[in-house]
Amino acid sequence: MNTSAKKYLPIILILAIVKFLIQWFGNRNYGFHRDELLHLSVSEHLDWGFMEFPPLIGFIGKLSYLFFDYSLLGVRLFPTLAGVAILVLCCLIAKELGGKSKAILLAGLTVLAFIPFYRNHTLFQPVAFDQLFWTLGFYFLIKYFNTEHLKFLILLGLTLGLGLLNKYTILVWSFGLFIGLFFYQRGTLFKNKWLYLSALLSLLIFLPNILWQIGHDFPLLKHLAALNSHQLDKQNPFEFVSDQLGSPFTLLISLFGLGALLMSRNFKNYRAIGISVLVIFGTMWALNSKAYYVFAIYPVLFASGAVKIESLLSKKPALIYIVCAIVLLPSVYFIPEGTPLLPIEQFVSYKGLEEKDGRMELTGDYADMFGWEEQVQLVDSVYRSLSEEEQKNTVLWAENYGEAGALKILGKKYGLPDPISRHGSFWTWGFGNKNAETWISLGNEKESVESVFEEVELVKIITHKYAIGEENGIPLYICRKPKVDIEQWWANYKEYIFD
């Protein structure tokens, strides 16, 4: 950090500490989300790719295990650190765009005020790291515009390569940059060999995953087809836009930023960034993407918007503090909706929820953090009821990756054997002991288990007050005497693993 940036360090440091503390206190509560359980599960099968996503989340999950042994706080530290880095980068981008102390303050506060980031920077998912790579890429590109030092082009390529190993949506970001760069000095950058060396570096970093995709018959395409069939085709295209309106004051800052990047003389050198943002947003919208896929464009817009507002209020600088208050204060009340700061009983009261038929309808993310421990405890009690000889020849069969992930990760402290599941990446890890005499089935419906076994005994229908609907009222069976060839039964399911 150069001398001019160091004088802003106290502002950035205080904002970063606030961000960290909010996330830290939220990270402690409730339990693992089903997606977190999947990401930790793949970390035990490190490879250059997985059926649902690229490999980086698995490597980070392995680090989490080595450092923190799957503690909730330890696992969630990584997305939290990514979120703190995004805030710091947003402030640094504001500085690179010509902002002074008040612009840097407003930029950082806008990140703190953007409620969706709290969810993104709590859960152990590729999303937080995706947002970090996008923001870091924008930062390096702006540094290159300001200095024309070639090292920033190489760092840009490194960022893209690592981003591709994290989440494929960064391809849309790179497409946006490709179009935007035609508007930087009339596209002269495309005559610079270092741009292509940077792209080559990205390709070399990404190459192992490409080879993995080829070797596994491109599961990415099958996953995208399933995602489109089950989720994205049900997306209302207008919801993609309306979901951007959920935080109106931070949106206003970003619109100031986009307008400045596209039209302001002072931002003429950065017009390529504004064009890139438009292309990224339009492409995501055209692809019927989920709204949160595009949230990674906001930090650079928050930074440019803060600088523009500081410039507009240069003759009345005290008004910046009023703008800061207007942006931040209305968001404070909603932070518990983004990260679980409140114990569940207080959250229920905070949201004014009422119990119906013994259940509470929480939001999807929070509901997905409950019930897993109870499922594992029940499976363990059934497993321990078997004789030692039976336990040696028992398979735990979970219906979906959440249940399988719970048995795999939370089951470690109970000494349970690794589960099997025909869902996603779990299918690739196999069916275990095909000659097992006893199977404990979690979540599979009666028709499914009866199609495989002659003897099926229902142990319990599992319910939970706070668990998500699909994990409420699920059956637990003990199954014996398989009546199909397990190996063939497993192989026949290959085309349905994403259902």
Side-chain angles (χ1 to χ4, degrees), residues 52 397-401 404 419-428 430-431 439 444 447-449 451-452 486 488-499:
E52 301 90 347
W397 172 28
E399 192 275 332
N400 62 50
Y401 71 79
I420 68 167
S421 176
R422 298 187 297 170
H423 199 180
S425 286
F426 276 92
W427 179 86
T428 66
F431 45 80
W439 290 49
N444 296 288
E447 298 81 9
S448 296
V449 293
S451 68
V452 181
I486 295 298
Q488 189 60 49
W489 166 73
W490 197 264
N492 290 341
Y493 202 75
K494 182 177 182 180
E495 300 302 317
Y496 308 100
I497 64 173
F498 293 123
D499 287 356

Side-chain angles (χ1 to χ4, degrees), residues 42-348:
V42 302
S43 73
E44 299 199 350
H45 300 267
L46 291 182
D47 205 342
W48 282 108
F50 302 104
M51 302 300 279
E52 301 90 347
F53 36 72
L56 186 61
I57 193 71
F59 287 100
I60 300 173
K62 178 60 71 175
L63 288 176
S64 173
Y65 173 71
L66 293 174
F67 287 127
F68 305 111
D69 194 22
Y70 294 146
S71 75
L72 190 65
L73 267 174
V75 168
R76 291 179 173 173
L77 175 64
F78 290 89
T80 287
L81 291 178
V84 171
I86 288 167
L87 183 148
V88 171
L89 284 168
C90 182
C91 293
L92 293 178
I93 290 172
K95 182 261 175 188
E96 289 297 322
L97 295 176
K100 307 301 181 188
S101 59
K102 293 179 177 59
I104 290 168
L105 175 65
L106 178 56
L109 287 176
T110 308
V111 172
L112 287 177
F114 190 58
I115 297 301
F117 277 169
Y118 288 99
R119 185 263 188 195
N120 299 151
H121 305 156
T122 293
L123 297 180
F124 184 70
Q125 296 177 324
V127 176
F129 309 107
D130 189 47
Q131 293 169 352
L132 174 59
F133 287 127
W134 286 37
T135 307
L136 189 61
F138 279 131
Y139 173 70
F140 286 140
L141 189 60
I142 290 169
K143 287 289 288 186
Y144 174 77
F145 291 166
N146 285 347
T147 67
E148 295 194 350
H149 288 167
L150 296 176
K151 66 178 181 181
F152 293 115
L153 287 183
I154 298 302
L155 290 170
L156 180 65
L158 177 64
T159 301
L160 175 57
L162 292 174
L164 286 167
L165 292 180
N166 174 69
K167 193 172 174 66
Y168 298 119
T169 50
I170 202 168
L171 287 169
V172 177
W173 176 82
S174 61
F175 173 68
L177 250 61
F178 173 75
I179 300 299
L181 287 177
F182 283 102
F183 295 83
Y184 174 70
Q185 297 181 354
R186 299 182 180 181
T188 56
L189 190 56
F190 288 104
K191 299 178 182 179
N192 190 326
K193 67 178 181 180
W194 286 93
L195 181 66
Y196 299 98
L197 290 173
S198 175
L200 179 61
L201 175 61
S202 300
L203 180 61
L204 289 175
I205 294 172
F206 185 44
L207 184 60
N209 183 247
I210 296 174
L211 296 176
W212 184 92
Q213 287 285 342
I214 294 171
H216 290 77
D217 197 23
F218 289 99
L220 167 64
L221 301 180
K222 298 174 184 177
H223 186 230
L224 288 176
L227 188 65
N228 186 64
S229 174
H230 299 306
Q231 295 185 37
L232 299 183
D233 68 339
K234 298 178 177 63
Q235 292 274 115
N236 183 331
F238 294 104
E239 287 182 4
F240 181 83
V241 176
S242 63
D243 285 349
Q244 313 299 322
L245 306 177
S247 301
F249 295 111
T250 57
L251 177 65
L252 192 60
I253 300 296
S254 68
L255 291 177
F256 266 99
L258 181 60
L261 290 170
L262 293 174
M263 296 180 289
S264 176
R265 286 184 180 179
N266 293 339
F267 287 79
K268 184 179 179 181
N269 204 40
Y270 313 109
R271 192 153 297 157
I273 304 293
I275 298 296
S276 298
V277 166
L278 286 180
V279 173
I280 292 166
F281 188 91
T283 304
M284 288 291 195
W285 192 7
L287 292 174
N288 216 23
S289 302
K290 296 180 182 179
Y292 74 84
Y293 287 6
V294 82
F295 288 167
I297 64 173
Y298 282 117
V300 71
L301 295 180
F302 293 160
S304 53
V307 175
K308 181 62 178 178
I309 290 172
E310 182 185 55
S311 173
L312 291 173
L313 299 179
S314 60
K315 295 183 179 179
K316 296 182 179 180
L319 292 179
I320 287 282
Y321 298 113
I322 296 176
V323 174
C324 289
I326 291 172
V327 169
L328 180 63
L329 294 181
S331 297
V332 172
Y333 176 81
F334 299 100
I335 293 176
E337 295 184 12
T339 190
L341 288 169
L342 302 177
I344 188 59
E345 296 81 7
Q346 292 183 28
F347 181 78
V348 167

Side-chain angles (χ1 to χ4, degrees), residues 422-459:
R422 298 187 297 170
H423 199 180
S425 286
F426 276 92
W427 179 86
T428 66
W429 304 328
F431 45 80
N433 179 11
K434 70 176 182 180
N435 298 315
E437 298 174 359
T438 305
W439 290 49
I440 300 175
S441 166
L442 174 65
N444 296 288
E445 296 300 329
K446 185 178 181 181
E447 298 81 9
S448 296
V449 293
E450 288 185 341
S451 68
V452 181
F453 301 97
E454 290 184 9
E455 293 184 8
V456 174
E457 176 190 349
L458 177 65
V459 177

